[in-house]
Amino acid sequence: MSDIPASSLASRSGMGAALRQDSALRHATGEARFTDDLPVPPGTLHAALVLSPVAHGVLAPLDPAPARAVAGVVAVLGPRDIPGRNDISPSGKAAERLFAEEHVEHWGQPLALVVATTRDAALAGAAALRPEITPLPPLLSIEAALEAGALLMPPQVIARGDWDTALAQSPIQLQEEFRCGGQEHFYLEGQIALAIPGEDGEVTLHSSTQHPTEVQHIAARVLGCDYARVTVQCRRMGGGFGGKESNASWVAAAAALAARATGRPVKLRLSRKVDMAATGKRHPFLYRWRAGCDATGRILALDALMAADGGHSLDLSGGVLFRAITHALNAYDVPALRVTGLACKTNTVSNTAFRGFGGPQGALLMEDVFFSVARATGLSVDEVRERNFAGGPNGAETPYGQALEGDLIRRVWAEAKQEAGWEARRAEIDAFNASHPTLRRGLGGFVLAFGISFGIMAMNQAGALVHVYTDGSIRLNHGGTEMGQGLFIKVAQVVAEVFGVEVERIRITGTSTAEVPNTSPTAASTGSDLNGWAAHAAASTIRARMAEVAARRWGAAPEEITFAQGRVTAGNHSMEFGELAQLCWAERVSLSATGYYKTPEIHWDPVAMRGRPFFYFSYGAAIADVLVDTLTGEHRVLRADLVQDCGRSLNPAIDRGQIEGAFLQGLGWLTCEELWWDTEGKLRTLGPSTYKIPGSREMPPVLNLRLLEDAPARVNTIFRSKAVGEPPLLLATAVWNALRDALGGRKLDLPATPERVLGAVAGAALPPSR
């Protein structure tokens, strides 16, 4: 893919314009249609899940009679009613059931589906069933899984140098253990699918999904049919955050099964409680590490274990663990190390993708190491941080062989400190703490280096379809999905830039497997990179054809034809874009094209655990100022200063929104969102009354955000932009560091709820969070 000249960025509505999200006004007025808002065909049925009431046990065959006795119930479907395979694993290689067979593996596991004429009747039918389960002892913690040797996959290990000898010879040797909890996605729109049967075994699925192709594949697998018989459509989602990457697939497959069994349309919409009980979360992690350093704070060796709670099945834990261990050093250099990643099996819901996909958990490791090194050497945490930045006097290469850009690491950190007035703030906070006996303020920093690409190399590809109509309007379709993040408007800006027209001429259309096949999920912060280039390729193909027509008409060379401001020009010749489109049709020139893109230069050796898995890195830095009440453990973020590397931003308004939202979501994960299972394995945090998501009070009253200027991507991304969906979530780690600073560097497991903060003040250990 050839580079795009920077001079093309001047368009008012093309690249670099700060435009609102394409559905923003419709969101505000309620006109935007989500899956539950779609008009249902006559005769549509409704479905409800039957969930396991125990965490682990032997399941007897389910008696459907009580549900069938409920007025309005049409069918009760279980594993024996599946015509294809009872397998919903993303890979198709692991044993992950749509409905449990013989054994239940977690509380809330789907056992059957009740289908009825109304949703209330379906829910009543599901409630009438009484599964017979002989309980077995559940594994409910990472520690218990480690003791039992319960793993979902072989360990993943990245190593460099003689870490054992380097550790033994280090002047200062340290070790520690800490934990971080999981996180519920809590998308505003819950999991939902509408299945409409067609003729000859076909089915159309309207699904709130980040991955229409996976929905297609898993529904076809369950139905036992070809992929071509299943069409999946998604115009927009009310949030996803990774929770609709694999989980949406089995919800849609269940609806498709019901539609096949009844011959009628079926809608399956999960309530908030059922959604939280049956769908996966962010992976909790347990960390155990040993490190060696010298008196200057330089870390010489590291041996770390990072154990993730994968839940009862593999799902996407392999990819999450891969990203966690490749981000274990984050923006820093350690010359000799071993990092071991484990995916532990527990009798809880199967954990899954969540914004950052293991990267946020991986980046916590070095932050904890810094606090221990600072305590041992008498240095400040941020002196230790700066001493170990990758690049400069230290090594720039990651343990897996890919280089980091040390100048950008140091630049974002320097700009964040300058924006925050670091030295003056430090003095102000020290003075405040000296005069307040119970209130403590803390200052914390964080720097990130986040790799952009899918860990599975084959997923780094995308397709697009563009039509130009004879009035000059343009229809755009691609494999990406819109979940509120602004992908659709960014890709539309790309196409508008290619044709030199206003973005209003671009008709954005919903994602459909019938238009662009074999798509990758909209995940890993790759949406704009992949789909932007694919749409650019399709539009460029059409533009080249149109330029040839104009060149013939005017006796000019095709390269002399320019497209700008809605007109096509060569020398003194000019016509409207729509006029040229009409002329192309008259000369029988195709105005439709597909586009395709695959990320170049990436590669990975899974045996050696080396390669270049990421096309590039996104960098950022944050400074947080917090206030802690040591009598109650309550705390607030008073101010945050963020600097984020977006390359040459495609749309600064969208990027700023993503950064602010990601920071707040990360803040929730690290401070207030706590998943809690009881001793029998039942999830007790099943809604906003018991699960605390961040609100307006959690947003810092002072939030300063700067996009790194004059820093276009150094690889050939679309218009030299950089991804922004996931990296800024990690910036909230500065809040954890600020809380620890306020507490004198004490150990503080996550989430840092008031109870945990109070426990840290008292020096007491609290039970680990899930």
Side-chain angles (χ1 to χ4, degrees):
M1 187 70 66
S2 61
D3 200 0
I4 302 168
S7 60
S8 68
L9 298 180
S11 172
R12 180 173 63 84
S13 65
M15 303 324 306
L19 305 181
R20 68 189 181 197
Q21 199 255 15
D22 71 287
S23 298
L25 183 60
R26 289 188 290 278
H27 288 162
T29 61
E31 295 175 279
R33 285 186 175 182
F34 297 86
T35 302
D36 200 32
D37 301 319
L38 298 176
V40 296
T44 295
L45 300 174
H46 298 264
L49 292 169
V50 180
L51 304 181
S52 171
V54 302
H56 192 204
V58 179
L59 176 66
L62 194 64
D63 179 10
R68 288 175 176 164
V70 174
V73 169
V74 173
V76 179
L77 304 173
R80 296 179 182 178
D81 300 299
I82 294 175
R85 292 163 51 195
N86 186 18
D87 179 8
I88 57 169
S89 66
S91 67
K93 300 175 182 178
E96 299 180 43
R97 307 297 184 198
L98 175 58
F99 302 129
E101 294 185 75
E102 299 181 355
H103 289 84
V104 294
E105 295 282 359
H106 73 94
W107 180 86
Q109 184 174 5
L111 307 179
L113 189 71
V114 176
V115 188
T117 53
T118 67
R119 187 167 183 267
D120 285 346
L123 292 170
L129 294 176
R130 295 290 182 267
E132 295 182 14
I133 302 172
T134 304
L136 295 172
L139 291 174
L140 298 176
S141 69
I142 296 174
E143 291 86 347
L146 290 174
E147 185 176 348
L151 300 179
L152 293 167
M153 60 181 294
Q156 295 188 39
V157 181
I158 288 180
R160 175 171 66 187
D162 188 353
W163 59 269
D164 199 15
T165 300
L167 189 58
Q169 294 178 352
S170 295
I172 302 172
Q173 298 176 30
L174 306 163
Q175 65 178 25
E176 190 53 86
E177 175 179 305
F178 72 102
R179 298 165 182 81
C180 73
Q183 187 178 21
E184 166 62 33
H185 300 88
F186 222 97
Y187 22 64
L188 290 179
E189 176 202 31
Q191 300 282 354
I192 184 171
L194 171 63
I196 303 173
E199 61 183 36
D200 198 24
E202 294 182 346
V203 63
T204 298
L205 290 170
H206 296 275
S207 173
S208 180
T209 177
Q210 294 174 237
H211 198 350
T213 290
E214 185 176 286
V215 170
Q216 178 191 46
H217 291 181
I218 289 181
R221 188 190 305 161
V222 168
L223 296 178
C225 70
D226 292 339
Y227 296 159
R229 294 183 188 273
V230 179
T231 298
V232 181
Q233 298 178 0
C234 178
R235 173 57 181 88
R236 62 174 61 85
M237 289 165 274
F241 312 118
K244 295 177 180 176
E245 185 172 343
S246 63
N247 281 302
S249 300
W250 67 259
V251 173
L257 173 65
R260 170 69 65 84
T262 62
R264 294 165 65 178
V266 174
K267 179 187 284 190
L268 174 57
R269 174 170 64 85
L270 305 191
S271 69
R272 180 64 64 184
K273 286 187 175 181
V274 170
D275 197 317
M276 291 185 73
T279 64
K281 327 293 180 192
R282 185 187 295 280
H283 290 64
F285 268 64
L286 168 67
Y287 306 78
R288 291 172 178 166
W289 59 263
R290 297 182 299 145
C293 67
D294 61 24
T296 71
R298 179 70 171 113
I299 300 169
L300 305 173
L302 176 67
D303 180 25
L305 171 70
M306 302 171 63
D309 184 345
H312 78 282
S313 65
L314 185 60
D315 195 87
L316 299 174
S317 292
V320 169
L321 203 61
F322 167 80
R323 187 167 283 272
I325 64 173
T326 54
H327 286 71
L329 289 191
N330 190 16
Y332 308 101
D333 173 62
V334 177
L337 81 161
R338 178 181 67 175
V339 179
T340 302
L342 301 177
C344 298
K345 178 177 180 177
T346 61
N347 293 115
T348 59
V349 65
S350 184
N351 289 314
T352 189
F354 200 123
R355 195 176 194 172
F357 205 72
Q361 296 97 313
L364 294 179
L365 174 64
M366 289 300 288
E367 303 304 309
D368 194 61
V369 174
F370 291 158
F371 272 92
S372 292
V373 172
R375 187 166 51 248
T377 60
L379 300 169
S380 72
V381 170
D382 293 290
E383 285 175 320
V384 176
R385 178 187 312 283
E386 294 169 1
R387 180 73 177 87
N388 291 280
F389 278 144
N394 301 325
E397 192 174 276
T398 64
Y400 49 87
Q402 184 166 356
L404 295 170
E405 295 150 293
D407 60 324
L408 289 178
I409 292 170
R410 288 162 175 80
R411 182 182 167 193
V412 294
W413 176 239
E415 291 195 13
K417 290 180 72 175
Q418 180 179 13
E419 184 78 20
W422 176 272
E423 299 299 336
R425 189 92 66 81
R426 180 77 270 175
E428 174 192 334
I429 288 172
D430 291 343
F432 177 93
N433 290 340
S435 61
H436 288 76
T438 59
L439 297 178
R440 298 279 301 179
R441 283 175 63 185
L443 190 64
F446 179 76
V447 181
L448 74 87
F450 193 90
I452 304 298
S453 284
F454 285 105
I456 299 175
M457 297 297 106
M459 296 174 74
N460 293 287
Q461 59 176 302
L465 176 64
V466 174
H467 303 318
V468 174
Y469 295 98
T470 53
D471 65 349
S473 62
I474 299 161
R475 188 178 191 276
L476 167 64
N477 193 273
H478 55 81
T481 55
E482 178 62 60
M483 62 196 90
Q485 84 280 34
L487 172 65
F488 278 13
I489 188 64
K490 282 188 171 184
V491 179
Q493 286 176 264
V494 170
V495 174
E497 188 72 31
V498 171
F499 288 120
V501 300
E502 296 297 312
V503 76
E504 289 78 11
R505 299 308 307 272
I506 313 299
R507 181 59 185 168
I508 298 170
T509 59
T511 314
S512 173
T513 57
E515 295 201 47
V516 177
N518 310 320
T519 59
S520 295
T522 305
S525 301
T526 62
S528 297
D529 286 350
L530 295 177
N531 296 288
W533 267 129
H536 187 277
S540 296
T541 297
I542 299 172
R543 173 178 157 149
R545 295 173 188 160
M546 296 178 75
E548 290 179 358
V549 172
R552 287 196 300 269
R553 184 176 183 85
W554 293 330
E559 55 270 21
E560 296 177 40
I561 308 299
T562 61
F563 292 70
Q565 299 181 342
R567 299 192 67 81
V568 184
T569 306
N572 293 325
H573 302 285
S574 181
M575 69 174 72
E576 291 186 354
F577 179 80
E579 186 180 351
L580 178 58
Q582 177 71 33
L583 181 61
C584 290
W585 174 81
E587 295 195 10
R588 295 183 294 178
V589 172
S590 173
L591 293 176
S592 177
T594 60
Y596 177 78
Y597 174 76
K598 63 178 181 180
T599 308
E601 302 176 24
I602 55 174
H603 55 91
W604 182 252
D605 183 338
V607 177
M609 295 295 280
R610 289 185 61 81
R612 182 183 175 178
F614 308 118
F615 190 34
Y616 62 89
F617 289 90
S618 176
Y619 301 96
I623 308 292
D625 183 344
V626 303
L627 177 66
V628 178
D629 185 335
T630 61
L631 297 181
T632 65
E634 294 177 292
H635 50 81
R636 283 207 69 183
V637 183
L638 302 177
R639 174 173 166 171
D641 296 272
L642 315 179
V643 175
Q644 182 62 46
D645 169 24
C646 296
R648 184 183 288 134
S649 175
L650 295 178
N651 184 323
I654 294 294
D655 287 351
R656 293 180 70 89
Q658 283 291 286
I659 295 165
E660 292 173 358
F663 178 80
L664 187 62
Q665 189 169 52
L667 181 63
W669 168 53
L670 294 168
T671 62
C672 63
E673 297 187 45
E674 183 168 27
L675 296 161
W676 192 82
W677 277 262
D678 64 21
T679 56
E680 295 180 350
K682 181 177 181 180
L683 181 63
R684 294 294 187 173
T685 46
L686 287 172
S689 64
T690 51
Y691 184 81
K692 176 67 175 74
I693 61 172
S696 59
R697 186 181 182 278
E698 279 68 44
M699 181 65 83
V702 179
L703 178 61
N704 298 316
L705 166 59
R706 177 190 295 177
L707 303 187
L708 192 68
E709 296 180 354
D710 300 320
R714 295 170 181 174
V715 294
N716 195 20
T717 61
I718 185 71
F719 289 98
R720 297 288 174 167
S721 64
K722 283 191 175 183
V724 73
E726 293 173 304
L729 185 141
L730 283 71
L731 297 180
T733 309
V735 175
W736 181 42
N737 291 337
L739 289 170
R740 294 189 70 177
D741 178 65
L743 298 174
R746 288 182 176 91
K747 176 181 175 180
L748 182 62
D749 283 346
L750 298 168
T753 59
E755 293 85 352
R756 282 194 173 74
V757 170
L758 196 59
V761 171
L766 293 174
S769 168
R770 297 213 27 94

